Structure formats: structure tokens, C-alpha cells
Coordinates of all heavy atoms in Angstrom, one line a residue:
T1 N 0.9 -1.2 0.0 CA 0.0 0.0 0.0 C 0.9 1.2 0.0 O 2.1 1.2 0.4 CB -0.9 0.0 1.2 OG1 -0.1 0.2 2.4 CG2 -1.8 -1.2 1.3
W2 N 0.3 2.4 -0.4 CA 1.0 3.6 -0.4 C 0.2 4.6 0.4 O -1.0 4.7 0.3 CB 1.2 4.1 -1.9 CG 2.2 3.3 -2.7 CD1 3.5 3.6 -2.9 CD2 1.9 2.0 -3.3 NE1 4.1 2.7 -3.7 CE2 3.1 1.7 -3.9 CE3 0.8 1.2 -3.4 CZ2 3.3 0.5 -4.7 CZ3 1.0 0.0 -4.1 CH2 2.2 -0.3 -4.7
I3 N 1.0 5.4 1.2 CA 0.3 6.4 2.1 C -0.3 7.5 1.3 O 0.3 8.2 0.5 CB 1.3 6.9 3.1 CG1 1.8 5.8 4.0 CG2 0.6 8.0 4.0 CD1 0.7 5.1 4.8
R4 N -1.6 7.7 1.6 CA -2.4 8.7 0.9 C -2.4 10.0 1.7 O -2.5 11.1 1.1 CB -3.8 8.2 0.7 CG -4.7 9.0 -0.3 CD -5.9 8.2 -0.6 NE -6.7 8.9 -1.7 CZ -7.5 8.2 -2.4 NH1 -7.8 6.9 -2.2 NH2 -8.2 8.9 -3.4
T5 N -2.3 9.9 3.0 CA -2.4 11.1 3.9 C -1.0 11.3 4.5 O -0.8 11.1 5.7 CB -3.4 10.9 5.0 OG1 -3.2 9.6 5.6 CG2 -4.8 10.9 4.4
G6 N 0.0 11.7 3.7 CA 1.3 11.9 4.2 C 1.5 13.0 5.3 O 0.8 14.0 5.2
N7 N 2.3 12.7 6.3 CA 2.6 13.6 7.4 C 1.4 13.8 8.3 O 1.4 14.8 9.0 CB 3.2 14.9 6.9 CG 4.6 14.8 6.4 OD1 5.4 14.1 7.0 ND2 4.9 15.4 5.3
Q8 N 0.4 12.9 8.2 CA -0.7 13.0 9.1 C -1.0 11.8 9.9 O -1.5 11.8 11.0 CB -2.0 13.3 8.3 CG -2.2 14.7 7.9 CD -3.7 15.0 7.5 OE1 -4.3 14.1 7.0 NE2 -4.1 16.2 7.7
L9 N -0.5 10.6 9.4 CA -0.8 9.3 10.0 C 0.3 8.8 10.9 O 1.4 8.5 10.4 CB -1.1 8.3 8.8 CG -1.7 7.0 9.2 CD1 -3.1 7.2 9.9 CD2 -1.8 6.1 8.0
G10 N 0.0 8.7 12.2 CA 1.0 8.3 13.1 C 1.2 6.8 13.1 O 0.2 6.0 12.8
F11 N 2.4 6.3 13.3 CA 2.6 4.8 13.3 C 3.3 4.5 14.7 O 3.8 5.3 15.4 CB 3.5 4.4 12.1 CG 4.9 4.8 12.2 CD1 5.9 4.0 12.8 CD2 5.3 6.0 11.7 CE1 7.2 4.4 12.9 CE2 6.7 6.4 11.8 CZ 7.6 5.6 12.4
Y12 N 3.2 3.2 15.0 CA 3.7 2.7 16.3 C 4.6 1.5 16.1 O 4.4 0.7 15.2 CB 2.4 2.3 17.1 CG 1.4 3.4 17.3 CD1 0.5 3.7 16.3 CD2 1.4 4.1 18.5 CE1 -0.4 4.7 16.5 CE2 0.4 5.1 18.7 CZ -0.4 5.4 17.7 OH -1.3 6.4 17.9
H13 N 5.6 1.4 17.0 CA 6.4 0.2 17.0 C 5.6 -1.0 17.4 O 4.7 -0.9 18.3 CB 7.6 0.4 17.9 CG 8.6 1.4 17.5 ND1 9.1 1.5 16.2 CD2 9.2 2.5 18.2 CE1 9.9 2.5 16.1 NE2 10.0 3.1 17.3
Y14 N 5.9 -2.1 16.8 CA 5.1 -3.4 17.0 C 6.1 -4.5 17.4 O 7.2 -4.6 16.8 CB 4.3 -3.8 15.7 CG 3.6 -5.1 15.9 CD1 2.4 -5.1 16.5 CD2 4.1 -6.3 15.4 CE1 1.7 -6.3 16.7 CE2 3.4 -7.5 15.5 CZ 2.2 -7.5 16.1 OH 1.5 -8.7 16.2
S15 N 5.7 -5.3 18.4 CA 6.5 -6.4 18.8 C 5.9 -7.7 18.4 O 4.8 -8.0 18.9 CB 6.7 -6.4 20.4 OG 7.3 -7.6 20.8
A16 N 6.5 -8.4 17.5 CA 6.0 -9.7 17.1 C 6.0 -10.7 18.3 O 5.1 -11.6 18.3 CB 6.8 -10.3 15.9
K17 N 6.9 -10.6 19.2 CA 7.0 -11.5 20.3 C 5.8 -11.3 21.3 O 5.2 -12.3 21.7 CB 8.3 -11.2 21.1 CG 8.5 -12.2 22.3 CD 9.8 -11.9 23.0 CE 11.0 -12.2 22.1 NZ 12.3 -12.0 22.8
S18 N 5.4 -10.1 21.5 CA 4.2 -9.9 22.4 C 2.9 -9.7 21.7 O 1.9 -9.6 22.3 CB 4.5 -8.7 23.3 OG 4.6 -7.5 22.5
H19 N 3.0 -9.6 20.4 CA 1.9 -9.4 19.5 C 1.1 -8.1 19.9 O -0.1 -8.1 20.0 CB 0.9 -10.6 19.5 CG 1.5 -11.8 19.0 ND1 1.7 -12.1 17.7 CD2 1.9 -12.9 19.7 CE1 2.3 -13.3 17.5 NE2 2.4 -13.8 18.7
G20 N 1.9 -7.1 20.2 CA 1.3 -5.8 20.7 C 2.1 -4.6 20.2 O 3.3 -4.8 19.7
M21 N 1.5 -3.5 20.3 CA 2.2 -2.2 19.8 C 2.3 -1.2 20.9 O 1.6 -1.3 21.9 CB 1.4 -1.6 18.7 CG -0.1 -1.4 19.0 SD -1.1 -0.9 17.6 CE -0.6 0.8 17.4
D22 N 3.3 -0.3 20.8 CA 3.5 0.7 21.8 C 2.2 1.6 21.8 O 1.5 1.7 20.8 CB 4.7 1.5 21.4 CG 6.0 0.8 21.6 OD1 5.9 -0.3 22.2 OD2 7.0 1.3 21.1
S23 N 2.0 2.3 22.9 CA 0.9 3.2 23.1 C 1.2 4.6 22.6 O 0.3 5.4 22.4 CB 0.5 3.2 24.5 OG 1.5 3.7 25.4
L24 N 2.5 4.9 22.4 CA 2.9 6.2 21.9 C 3.4 6.1 20.5 O 4.1 5.2 20.1 CB 4.0 6.8 22.8 CG 3.6 7.1 24.3 CD1 4.8 7.6 25.0 CD2 2.4 8.1 24.3
A25 N 3.0 7.0 19.6 CA 3.4 7.0 18.2 C 4.9 7.2 18.1 O 5.5 8.0 18.8 CB 2.7 8.1 17.5
A26 N 5.5 6.5 17.2 CA 6.9 6.6 16.9 C 7.2 7.7 15.9 O 8.4 8.1 15.8 CB 7.5 5.3 16.4
G27 N 6.2 8.2 15.2 CA 6.4 9.2 14.2 C 5.2 9.2 13.2 O 4.2 8.6 13.5
F28 N 5.4 9.9 12.1 CA 4.4 10.0 11.1 C 4.8 9.5 9.8 O 6.0 9.6 9.4 CB 3.9 11.5 10.9 CG 3.3 12.0 12.2 CD1 4.1 12.6 13.2 CD2 1.9 12.0 12.4 CE1 3.5 13.1 14.3 CE2 1.4 12.5 13.5 CZ 2.1 13.1 14.5
L29 N 3.9 8.8 9.1 CA 4.3 8.2 7.8 C 4.3 9.3 6.7 O 3.4 10.1 6.7 CB 3.3 7.1 7.4 CG 3.3 5.9 8.4 CD1 2.1 5.0 8.2 CD2 4.6 5.1 8.1
G30 N 5.3 9.2 5.8 CA 5.5 10.2 4.8 C 4.6 10.1 3.6 O 4.0 9.0 3.4
P31 N 4.5 11.1 2.8 CA 3.6 11.0 1.6 C 4.1 10.0 0.6 O 5.3 9.8 0.3 CB 3.8 12.4 1.0 CG 5.1 13.0 1.6 CD 5.2 12.4 2.9
L32 N 3.1 9.2 0.2 CA 3.3 8.1 -0.8 C 4.3 7.0 -0.3 O 4.9 6.3 -1.1 CB 3.7 8.6 -2.1 CG 2.7 9.4 -2.9 CD1 3.1 9.6 -4.3 CD2 1.3 8.9 -2.8
E33 N 4.5 7.0 1.0 CA 5.5 5.9 1.6 C 4.9 4.6 1.3 O 3.7 4.3 1.6 CB 5.7 6.2 3.1 CG 6.8 5.3 3.6 CD 7.2 5.7 5.0 OE1 6.8 6.8 5.5 OE2 8.1 5.0 5.6
K34 N 5.7 3.6 0.8 CA 5.2 2.3 0.5 C 5.4 1.4 1.7 O 6.4 1.3 2.4 CB 6.1 1.7 -0.6 CG 5.6 0.4 -1.1 CD 6.5 -0.1 -2.3 CE 6.0 -1.5 -2.8 NZ 6.9 -2.0 -3.9
L35 N 4.3 0.7 2.0 CA 4.2 -0.3 3.2 C 3.9 -1.6 2.6 O 3.1 -1.8 1.7 CB 3.2 0.2 4.2 CG 3.1 1.6 4.6 CD1 2.0 1.8 5.7 CD2 4.5 2.1 5.2
E36 N 4.5 -2.7 3.3 CA 4.2 -4.0 3.0 C 3.4 -4.6 4.2 O 3.9 -4.6 5.3 CB 5.4 -4.9 2.8 CG 6.3 -4.5 1.6 CD 5.7 -4.9 0.3 OE1 4.7 -5.7 0.3 OE2 6.1 -4.3 -0.8
I37 N 2.1 -4.9 4.0 CA 1.2 -5.3 5.1 C 1.5 -6.7 5.4 O 1.4 -7.6 4.6 CB -0.3 -5.1 4.7 CG1 -0.5 -3.7 4.2 CG2 -1.1 -5.4 5.9 CD1 -0.2 -2.6 5.2
K38 N 1.9 -7.0 6.7 CA 2.2 -8.3 7.2 C 1.1 -9.0 7.9 O 1.0 -10.2 7.9 CB 3.5 -8.2 8.1 CG 4.7 -7.6 7.4 CD 5.1 -8.5 6.2 CE 6.3 -7.9 5.5 NZ 6.7 -8.7 4.3
D39 N 0.3 -8.2 8.6 CA -0.8 -8.8 9.4 C -1.9 -7.7 9.6 O -1.6 -6.5 9.5 CB -0.3 -9.4 10.7 CG -1.2 -10.4 11.3 OD1 -2.3 -10.7 10.7 OD2 -0.9 -10.9 12.4
V40 N -3.1 -8.1 10.0 CA -4.2 -7.2 10.4 C -4.8 -7.8 11.7 O -5.2 -9.0 11.7 CB -5.2 -7.1 9.3 CG1 -6.4 -6.2 9.9 CG2 -4.7 -6.4 8.1
I41 N -4.7 -7.1 12.8 CA -5.1 -7.6 14.1 C -6.1 -6.6 14.8 O -6.2 -5.4 14.3 CB -3.9 -7.8 15.0 CG1 -3.2 -6.5 15.3 CG2 -3.0 -8.9 14.4 CD1 -2.0 -6.6 16.3
A42 N -6.7 -7.0 15.9 CA -7.5 -6.1 16.7 C -6.7 -5.8 18.0 O -6.2 -6.8 18.6 CB -8.9 -6.7 17.0
Q43 N -6.7 -4.6 18.5 CA -6.0 -4.3 19.7 C -6.6 -3.0 20.3 O -7.1 -2.1 19.6 CB -4.5 -4.1 19.4 CG -3.7 -3.8 20.7 CD -2.2 -3.7 20.5 OE1 -1.7 -4.5 19.7 NE2 -1.6 -2.8 21.1

């Protein structure tokens, strides 16, 4: 996927070991940044 809302969408560090993500954003995704989707979960 490619980011449509650059510099607006916060992302979070994710731990595969704990299957969880940090509660604080690590930064913002840049315009048209390309992401490879590995999983979709509920949290």
C-alpha cells in the first residue's frame, strides 16, 4: 500500500514477540510511503 495522507498518519512500533504495539506514536508516515502489510489484528 502507499500512504495517501502523508505527514498526518501516526505509526507505532510493534513487537512480534508480544503481539502488541506501543501506546505512543513513533512518528508520522511520509507522503506516498510504501508499506508491505504483514498482518491485520485487533487491539
